[in-house]
Amino acid sequence: MKKLFLLLAACVLMATGCKGGTSKAAQENVTEPAETAIEPAFSTEFSFDELFRIFSCFGDNIMTKAYAAQSTKDGIKDELANEFKGRREFTGETNSLSHSFNNDGCSEDFQMSCYRYSADRHVLVMLLESGGCDVTSIKYLRAYEYDPDTNSAHEVQLPFNPAPKRDDFEDMVRLAGADVASLRDAMNQGDYLYEFHADNVKVRLNDPMDYDEEVYNGDLVVNYWWNGSEFLREKGYRYACIHANGFASIILGEPAPNFHFDYDPLGYGVTYSQGGDLWLINLGEEETLQVQMENGKVYSIETRSPRYRVSAIAYDGGEGKKQPYVGACINDCISFGSGADAPVVKMLMDGTISIEVSSWNSIIAFRTSQDALATPTEPSDNGPVIINNPKFKNDARIESIIVWREQ
Protein backbone atom coordinates (compact mmCIF):
# COMPACT_ATOMS: atom_id res chain seq x y z
CA MET A 1 0.00 0.00 0.00
CA LYS A 2 1.35 3.38 -0.93
CA LYS A 3 2.76 5.53 1.85
CA LEU A 4 0.75 8.25 3.52
CA PHE A 5 0.99 11.72 2.05
CA LEU A 6 -0.61 15.11 2.58
CA LEU A 7 -0.60 18.59 1.18
CA LEU A 8 1.01 20.72 3.85
CA ALA A 9 -0.43 23.92 2.48
CA ALA A 10 -3.94 22.55 2.83
CA CYS A 11 -3.23 21.48 6.40
CA VAL A 12 -1.98 24.96 7.31
CA LEU A 13 -5.16 26.49 5.92
CA MET A 14 -7.24 24.13 8.02
CA ALA A 15 -5.34 24.90 11.19
CA THR A 16 -6.28 28.42 12.30
CA GLY A 17 -6.00 30.40 15.51
CA CYS A 18 -3.22 30.58 18.10
CA LYS A 19 -2.59 29.83 21.76
CA GLY A 20 -5.03 31.87 23.76
CA GLY A 21 -7.09 32.77 20.67
CA THR A 22 -10.79 32.39 19.94
CA SER A 23 -12.16 29.01 21.05
CA LYS A 24 -13.43 26.49 18.50
CA ALA A 25 -15.94 23.88 19.62
CA ALA A 26 -14.30 20.50 19.95
CA GLN A 27 -16.34 18.87 22.68
CA GLU A 28 -19.45 17.30 21.20
CA ASN A 29 -18.79 14.11 23.12
CA VAL A 30 -17.59 15.53 26.43
CA THR A 31 -16.90 12.93 29.10
CA GLU A 32 -16.68 13.20 32.86
CA PRO A 33 -13.19 13.57 34.33
CA ALA A 34 -11.32 10.28 34.59
CA GLU A 35 -10.71 8.84 38.02
CA THR A 36 -6.96 8.91 37.50
CA ALA A 37 -5.54 12.32 38.35
CA ILE A 38 -3.97 14.27 35.51
CA GLU A 39 -0.17 14.36 35.61
CA PRO A 40 1.50 17.55 36.89
CA ALA A 41 2.45 20.16 34.29
CA PHE A 42 6.17 19.46 34.49
CA SER A 43 5.73 15.79 33.54
CA THR A 44 6.21 14.75 29.93
CA GLU A 45 4.34 11.49 30.48
CA PHE A 46 0.63 10.80 30.12
CA SER A 47 -1.50 8.07 31.64
CA PHE A 48 -3.81 6.09 29.38
CA ASP A 49 -6.86 7.48 31.22
CA GLU A 50 -5.69 11.02 30.57
CA LEU A 51 -5.14 10.34 26.86
CA PHE A 52 -8.50 8.62 26.50
CA ARG A 53 -10.23 11.54 28.19
CA ILE A 54 -8.59 13.93 25.72
CA PHE A 55 -9.51 11.65 22.80
CA SER A 56 -13.12 11.58 24.01
CA CYS A 57 -13.21 15.38 23.88
CA PHE A 58 -13.34 15.38 20.07
CA GLY A 59 -16.65 14.70 18.34
CA ASP A 60 -17.88 14.60 14.76
CA ASN A 61 -17.14 18.30 14.27
CA ILE A 62 -13.47 17.25 14.39
CA MET A 63 -13.14 13.49 13.86
CA THR A 64 -14.21 11.61 10.74
CA LYS A 65 -17.31 9.46 11.12
CA ALA A 66 -15.23 6.34 11.71
CA TYR A 67 -14.00 7.68 15.08
CA ALA A 68 -16.39 10.51 15.98
CA ALA A 69 -19.00 8.72 18.07
CA GLN A 70 -18.25 8.20 21.75
CA SER A 71 -19.70 4.70 21.44
CA THR A 72 -16.98 3.95 18.86
CA LYS A 73 -14.29 5.33 21.14
CA ASP A 74 -15.59 3.23 24.03
CA GLY A 75 -15.73 0.19 21.76
CA ILE A 76 -12.03 0.36 20.94
CA LYS A 77 -10.87 1.45 24.39
CA ASP A 78 -9.36 -1.94 25.26
CA GLU A 79 -7.49 -2.06 21.94
CA LEU A 80 -6.16 1.45 22.54
CA ALA A 81 -5.06 0.49 26.06
CA ASN A 82 -3.16 -2.57 24.81
CA GLU A 83 -1.49 -0.56 22.06
CA PHE A 84 -0.55 2.13 24.60
CA LYS A 85 0.89 -0.49 26.98
CA GLY A 86 2.95 -2.06 24.20
CA ARG A 87 4.38 1.29 23.08
CA ARG A 88 5.28 2.18 26.67
CA GLU A 89 7.09 -1.14 27.20
CA PHE A 90 9.00 -1.19 23.91
CA THR A 91 9.73 2.49 23.24
CA GLY A 92 9.04 4.26 26.55
CA GLU A 93 6.71 6.71 24.81
CA THR A 94 3.44 7.49 26.58
CA ASN A 95 2.02 10.46 24.69
CA SER A 96 0.12 8.84 21.81
CA LEU A 97 -2.93 6.79 20.90
CA SER A 98 -3.40 5.21 17.49
CA HIS A 99 -5.85 2.86 15.83
CA SER A 100 -6.79 1.48 12.43
CA PHE A 101 -10.07 0.08 11.08
CA ASN A 102 -9.60 -2.18 8.05
CA ASN A 103 -12.47 -3.35 5.86
CA ASP A 104 -11.84 -5.28 2.65
CA GLY A 105 -8.50 -3.60 2.04
CA CYS A 106 -9.71 -0.10 2.92
CA SER A 107 -8.49 1.61 6.07
CA GLU A 108 -9.54 4.37 8.46
CA ASP A 109 -6.65 5.39 10.70
CA PHE A 110 -6.01 7.97 13.38
CA GLN A 111 -3.13 9.05 15.59
CA MET A 112 -3.34 11.45 18.52
CA SER A 113 -0.13 12.75 20.11
CA CYS A 114 0.00 15.08 23.12
CA TYR A 115 2.62 17.53 24.45
CA ARG A 116 2.40 19.59 27.64
CA TYR A 117 2.71 23.36 27.61
CA SER A 118 5.25 24.49 30.19
CA ALA A 119 3.29 27.65 31.08
CA ASP A 120 0.18 25.89 32.39
CA ARG A 121 -1.52 22.52 32.61
CA HIS A 122 -2.78 22.78 29.03
CA VAL A 123 -1.87 20.20 26.39
CA LEU A 124 -1.04 20.53 22.70
CA VAL A 125 -2.95 17.82 20.85
CA MET A 126 -1.92 16.77 17.34
CA LEU A 127 -4.69 14.90 15.50
CA LEU A 128 -3.92 13.07 12.29
CA GLU A 129 -6.46 11.00 10.37
CA SER A 130 -5.90 9.06 7.20
CA GLY A 131 -7.55 6.40 5.11
CA GLY A 132 -8.20 4.96 1.71
CA CYS A 133 -8.33 1.79 -0.33
CA ASP A 134 -5.82 1.44 -3.14
CA VAL A 135 -4.09 4.65 -2.03
CA THR A 136 -3.95 5.80 1.59
CA SER A 137 -3.87 9.56 2.09
CA ILE A 138 -4.01 11.87 5.07
CA LYS A 139 -7.43 13.42 5.54
CA TYR A 140 -6.12 16.11 7.83
CA LEU A 141 -3.50 17.10 10.36
CA ARG A 142 -4.74 19.54 12.99
CA ALA A 143 -3.42 21.03 16.22
CA TYR A 144 -5.49 21.85 19.32
CA GLU A 145 -4.88 23.32 22.74
CA TYR A 146 -6.65 21.24 25.37
CA ASP A 147 -7.69 22.62 28.77
CA PRO A 148 -7.97 19.80 31.35
CA ASP A 149 -9.97 21.99 33.74
CA THR A 150 -12.83 22.44 31.27
CA ASN A 151 -12.22 19.29 29.21
CA SER A 152 -12.38 21.40 26.04
CA ALA A 153 -10.07 22.31 23.17
CA HIS A 154 -9.68 24.98 20.52
CA GLU A 155 -7.79 24.77 17.26
CA VAL A 156 -4.37 26.42 16.92
CA GLN A 157 -1.88 26.85 14.11
CA LEU A 158 0.50 24.01 13.36
CA PRO A 159 3.31 24.84 15.83
CA PHE A 160 6.34 24.16 13.62
CA ASN A 161 8.92 26.97 13.65
CA PRO A 162 9.95 27.51 10.97
CA ALA A 163 7.48 25.43 8.97
CA PRO A 164 9.03 22.80 6.66
CA LYS A 165 9.45 23.79 3.03
CA ARG A 166 10.72 22.28 -0.17
CA ASP A 167 14.20 23.77 0.11
CA ASP A 168 14.81 21.82 3.32
CA PHE A 169 15.14 18.66 1.27
CA GLU A 170 16.75 19.98 -1.91
CA ASP A 171 20.28 19.21 -0.74
CA MET A 172 19.67 15.51 -0.18
CA VAL A 173 17.60 15.11 -3.33
CA ARG A 174 20.56 16.31 -5.35
CA LEU A 175 23.06 13.98 -3.69
CA ALA A 176 20.59 11.10 -3.93
CA GLY A 177 21.15 11.27 -7.67
CA ALA A 178 17.38 11.19 -8.17
CA ASP A 179 15.38 12.30 -11.17
CA VAL A 180 15.59 15.85 -9.87
CA ALA A 181 12.91 17.39 -12.08
CA SER A 182 10.30 14.77 -11.17
CA LEU A 183 11.14 14.73 -7.49
CA ARG A 184 11.11 18.51 -7.38
CA ASP A 185 7.59 18.43 -8.84
CA ALA A 186 6.59 16.25 -5.91
CA MET A 187 8.21 18.67 -3.47
CA ASN A 188 6.39 21.57 -5.08
CA GLN A 189 3.14 19.91 -4.03
CA GLY A 190 4.30 20.01 -0.39
CA ASP A 191 3.87 16.32 0.36
CA TYR A 192 5.05 15.41 3.87
CA LEU A 193 4.77 12.66 6.46
CA TYR A 194 4.73 13.34 10.21
CA GLU A 195 6.33 11.02 12.76
CA PHE A 196 5.38 11.91 16.34
CA HIS A 197 7.50 10.96 19.36
CA ALA A 198 7.50 11.84 23.07
CA ASP A 199 9.48 15.07 22.73
CA ASN A 200 10.01 15.61 19.01
CA VAL A 201 8.42 15.34 15.58
CA LYS A 202 10.15 14.29 12.39
CA VAL A 203 8.74 15.80 9.21
CA ARG A 204 9.67 13.65 6.24
CA LEU A 205 9.42 14.44 2.57
CA ASN A 206 6.88 12.01 1.14
CA ASP A 207 7.33 11.20 -2.46
CA PRO A 208 4.26 10.08 -4.41
CA MET A 209 6.48 9.53 -7.46
CA ASP A 210 7.63 6.10 -6.21
CA TYR A 211 11.20 7.19 -5.39
CA ASP A 212 11.17 5.00 -2.30
CA GLU A 213 14.88 4.21 -2.42
CA GLU A 214 15.87 7.88 -2.72
CA VAL A 215 13.73 8.79 0.26
CA TYR A 216 14.78 5.82 2.39
CA ASN A 217 18.48 6.03 1.70
CA GLY A 218 18.52 9.82 1.79
CA ASP A 219 16.61 10.18 5.08
CA LEU A 220 14.75 13.27 3.85
CA VAL A 221 13.83 14.59 7.29
CA VAL A 222 13.51 17.87 9.19
CA ASN A 223 13.57 17.33 12.95
CA TYR A 224 11.68 19.44 15.53
CA TRP A 225 11.97 19.44 19.33
CA TRP A 226 9.13 20.44 21.64
CA ASN A 227 10.23 23.31 23.94
CA GLY A 228 7.02 23.64 25.93
CA SER A 229 5.26 26.07 23.60
CA GLU A 230 6.18 25.10 20.02
CA PHE A 231 8.28 22.75 17.94
CA LEU A 232 11.65 24.32 17.12
CA ARG A 233 13.66 23.00 14.22
CA GLU A 234 16.88 21.25 15.12
CA LYS A 235 19.64 23.25 13.50
CA GLY A 236 22.28 21.22 11.77
CA TYR A 237 20.22 18.03 11.62
CA ARG A 238 22.41 15.50 9.79
CA TYR A 239 21.04 13.33 7.03
CA ALA A 240 21.43 9.65 7.96
CA CYS A 241 22.43 8.72 4.44
CA ILE A 242 25.62 6.69 5.01
CA HIS A 243 24.45 3.09 4.94
CA ALA A 244 25.61 -0.44 4.13
CA ASN A 245 24.86 -0.09 0.41
CA GLY A 246 26.58 3.24 -0.09
CA PHE A 247 25.66 6.90 0.30
CA ALA A 248 22.02 7.89 -0.32
CA SER A 249 21.29 6.46 -3.76
CA ILE A 250 24.92 6.23 -4.80
CA ILE A 251 25.00 2.44 -4.52
CA LEU A 252 28.09 0.29 -4.28
CA GLY A 253 28.57 -2.02 -7.23
CA GLU A 254 26.25 -0.01 -9.49
CA PRO A 255 26.85 2.81 -11.99
CA ALA A 256 26.91 6.22 -10.30
CA PRO A 257 23.90 8.50 -10.82
CA ASN A 258 24.03 11.37 -13.28
CA PHE A 259 24.13 14.42 -11.01
CA HIS A 260 23.75 17.36 -13.45
CA PHE A 261 25.34 19.78 -10.96
CA ASP A 262 26.02 22.35 -13.67
CA TYR A 263 22.79 24.20 -12.84
CA ASP A 264 22.49 23.43 -9.14
CA PRO A 265 21.43 26.58 -7.20
CA LEU A 266 22.97 25.22 -4.00
CA GLY A 267 26.47 25.56 -5.40
CA TYR A 268 27.48 21.94 -5.89
CA GLY A 269 30.17 21.09 -8.38
CA VAL A 270 31.47 17.76 -9.67
CA THR A 271 34.92 17.04 -11.10
CA TYR A 272 35.86 13.84 -12.88
CA SER A 273 39.40 12.49 -13.06
CA GLN A 274 40.89 12.04 -16.49
CA GLY A 275 40.20 8.32 -16.52
CA GLY A 276 36.75 8.76 -14.99
CA ASP A 277 37.60 6.56 -12.00
CA LEU A 278 37.31 9.27 -9.32
CA TRP A 279 34.47 11.75 -8.93
CA LEU A 280 34.99 14.70 -6.58
CA ILE A 281 31.82 16.45 -5.42
CA ASN A 282 32.11 19.81 -3.65
CA LEU A 283 29.69 22.30 -2.13
CA GLY A 284 31.45 25.63 -2.47
CA GLU A 285 34.83 25.19 -0.77
CA GLU A 286 33.69 22.08 1.14
CA GLU A 287 34.75 18.67 -0.12
CA THR A 288 31.53 16.70 0.11
CA LEU A 289 32.16 13.32 -1.52
CA GLN A 290 34.80 11.25 -3.24
CA VAL A 291 33.27 8.51 -5.36
CA GLN A 292 35.80 5.89 -6.46
CA MET A 293 34.78 4.01 -9.60
CA GLU A 294 35.99 0.63 -10.83
CA ASN A 295 35.02 -0.78 -14.23
CA GLY A 296 32.26 1.81 -14.54
CA LYS A 297 30.69 1.00 -11.16
CA VAL A 298 30.95 2.52 -7.69
CA TYR A 299 33.69 0.90 -5.62
CA SER A 300 33.82 3.22 -2.57
CA ILE A 301 32.36 6.49 -1.29
CA GLU A 302 34.08 8.79 1.19
CA THR A 303 32.81 11.98 2.80
CA ARG A 304 34.60 14.70 4.74
CA SER A 305 31.46 16.74 5.33
CA PRO A 306 29.81 17.05 8.78
CA ARG A 307 26.38 17.35 7.09
CA TYR A 308 25.79 13.58 7.02
CA ARG A 309 25.81 10.74 9.53
CA VAL A 310 25.74 6.96 9.52
CA SER A 311 22.31 5.33 9.55
CA ALA A 312 21.48 3.55 12.81
CA ILE A 313 20.54 0.52 10.72
CA ALA A 314 24.10 0.37 9.36
CA TYR A 315 25.93 0.95 12.66
CA ASP A 316 24.90 1.34 16.29
CA GLY A 317 27.67 2.04 18.77
CA GLY A 318 25.52 1.05 21.71
CA GLU A 319 23.60 2.73 24.52
CA GLY A 320 24.57 6.34 25.02
CA LYS A 321 26.58 6.53 21.79
CA LYS A 322 25.87 9.08 19.05
CA GLN A 323 25.49 8.12 15.41
CA PRO A 324 28.92 8.75 13.84
CA TYR A 325 29.53 11.79 11.64
CA VAL A 326 32.58 13.71 10.47
CA GLY A 327 33.79 15.94 13.32
CA ALA A 328 32.28 13.83 16.10
CA CYS A 329 34.43 12.66 19.01
CA ILE A 330 35.45 9.05 18.41
CA ASN A 331 34.82 8.01 22.03
CA ASP A 332 31.30 9.47 21.87
CA CYS A 333 30.34 7.35 18.85
CA ILE A 334 32.24 4.07 18.82
CA SER A 335 32.43 1.23 21.32
CA PHE A 336 35.65 -0.80 21.43
CA GLY A 337 35.18 -4.32 22.75
CA SER A 338 36.62 -7.78 22.30
CA GLY A 339 33.74 -9.58 20.61
CA ALA A 340 33.29 -10.56 16.97
CA ASP A 341 31.39 -7.33 16.33
CA ALA A 342 34.12 -5.10 17.76
CA PRO A 343 35.63 -2.60 15.30
CA VAL A 344 38.93 -3.52 13.67
CA VAL A 345 41.42 -0.69 14.15
CA LYS A 346 44.27 -0.40 11.67
CA MET A 347 47.12 2.00 11.08
CA LEU A 348 47.56 2.36 7.34
CA MET A 349 50.97 2.81 5.71
CA ASP A 350 50.52 6.60 5.50
CA GLY A 351 49.73 6.87 9.24
CA THR A 352 45.97 7.15 8.80
CA ILE A 353 43.94 5.33 11.47
CA SER A 354 41.03 3.31 10.07
CA ILE A 355 38.29 2.11 12.46
CA GLU A 356 36.36 -0.49 10.48
CA VAL A 357 32.96 -2.04 11.21
CA SER A 358 31.17 -4.66 9.15
CA SER A 359 27.63 -3.88 7.98
CA TRP A 360 25.98 -6.62 5.96
CA ASN A 361 28.44 -7.25 3.11
CA SER A 362 30.11 -3.85 3.35
CA ILE A 363 32.74 -2.10 5.45
CA ILE A 364 32.16 1.31 7.02
CA ALA A 365 35.40 2.92 8.17
CA PHE A 366 35.92 5.97 10.36
CA ARG A 367 39.22 7.59 9.48
CA THR A 368 41.36 9.82 11.70
CA SER A 369 44.99 10.89 12.03
CA GLN A 370 47.88 9.15 13.75
CA ASP A 371 48.03 11.61 16.64
CA ALA A 372 44.47 10.70 17.67
CA LEU A 373 45.81 7.62 19.45
CA ALA A 374 46.48 7.93 23.17
CA THR A 375 49.43 5.51 22.82
CA PRO A 376 51.88 6.42 20.04
CA THR A 377 52.08 3.86 17.23
CA GLU A 378 54.22 3.98 14.10
CA PRO A 379 53.12 2.83 10.63
CA SER A 380 54.83 -0.02 8.82
CA ASP A 381 56.14 -0.18 5.26
CA ASN A 382 54.90 -3.77 5.08
CA GLY A 383 51.20 -2.93 5.14
CA PRO A 384 48.49 -2.01 7.66
CA VAL A 385 49.16 -2.64 11.35
CA ILE A 386 46.33 -4.04 13.51
CA ILE A 387 46.02 -2.11 16.79
CA ASN A 388 44.72 -4.24 19.65
CA ASN A 389 42.93 -2.62 22.59
CA PRO A 390 43.08 0.85 20.99
CA LYS A 391 42.78 3.95 23.13
CA PHE A 392 41.89 7.31 21.63
CA LYS A 393 42.42 10.75 23.13
CA ASN A 394 39.29 12.41 24.50
CA ASP A 395 39.38 15.07 21.78
CA ALA A 396 40.12 12.65 18.92
CA ARG A 397 37.62 13.19 16.11
CA ILE A 398 36.41 11.42 12.99
CA GLU A 399 38.00 13.11 9.97
CA SER A 400 36.26 11.16 7.21
CA ILE A 401 33.86 8.24 6.71
CA ILE A 402 34.24 5.74 3.88
CA VAL A 403 32.11 2.77 2.85
CA TRP A 404 33.07 0.00 0.43
CA ARG A 405 32.04 -3.53 -0.48
CA GLU A 406 33.83 -6.52 0.99
CA GLN A 407 35.74 -8.55 -1.61
Side-chain angles (χ1 to χ4, degrees), residues 336-338 342-347 373 375 377 385-392:
F336 299 94
S338 58
V344 176
V345 181
K346 302 177 182 178
M347 173 170 282
L373 288 172
T375 302
T377 303
V385 176
I386 302 296
I387 301 175
N388 297 314
N389 302 316
K391 302 294 182 183
F392 288 89

Side-chain angles (χ1 to χ4, degrees), residues 143-210:
Y144 295 86
E145 181 180 343
Y146 172 79
D147 183 348
D149 293 331
T150 62
N151 193 35
S152 63
H154 65 269
E155 193 169 357
V156 296
Q157 291 179 340
L158 291 175
F160 298 106
N161 184 20
K165 58 184 184 301
R166 189 201 73 183
D167 291 347
D168 296 325
F169 308 98
E170 180 87 358
D171 182 46
M172 196 62 248
V173 168
R174 300 301 261 163
L175 289 179
D179 182 334
V180 177
S182 298
L183 223 118
R184 186 174 287 146
D185 287 343
M187 288 191 292
N188 279 334
Q189 298 178 43
D191 298 324
Y192 301 94
L193 297 172
Y194 291 83
E195 183 180 308
F196 297 97
H197 299 284
D199 54 4
N200 73 311
V201 174
K202 296 184 183 298
V203 182
R204 187 179 303 273
L205 175 67
N206 185 37
D207 87 69
M209 308 300 292
D210 289 328

Side-chain angles (χ1 to χ4, degrees), residues 165-188 205-207 211 213-215 217-221 239 241 247-250 257-261 263-264 266 268 307-308:
K165 58 184 184 301
R166 189 201 73 183
D167 291 347
D168 296 325
F169 308 98
E170 180 87 358
D171 182 46
M172 196 62 248
V173 168
R174 300 301 261 163
L175 289 179
D179 182 334
V180 177
S182 298
L183 223 118
R184 186 174 287 146
D185 287 343
M187 288 191 292
N188 279 334
L205 175 67
N206 185 37
D207 87 69
Y211 287 102
E213 289 303 317
E214 282 86 342
V215 172
N217 291 332
D219 189 35
L220 304 178
V221 170
Y239 295 111
C241 55
F247 180 98
S249 287
I250 309 174
N258 192 353
F259 296 104
H260 297 298
F261 283 154
Y263 62 88
D264 193 327
L266 294 180
Y268 279 104
R307 300 158 68 89
Y308 319 108

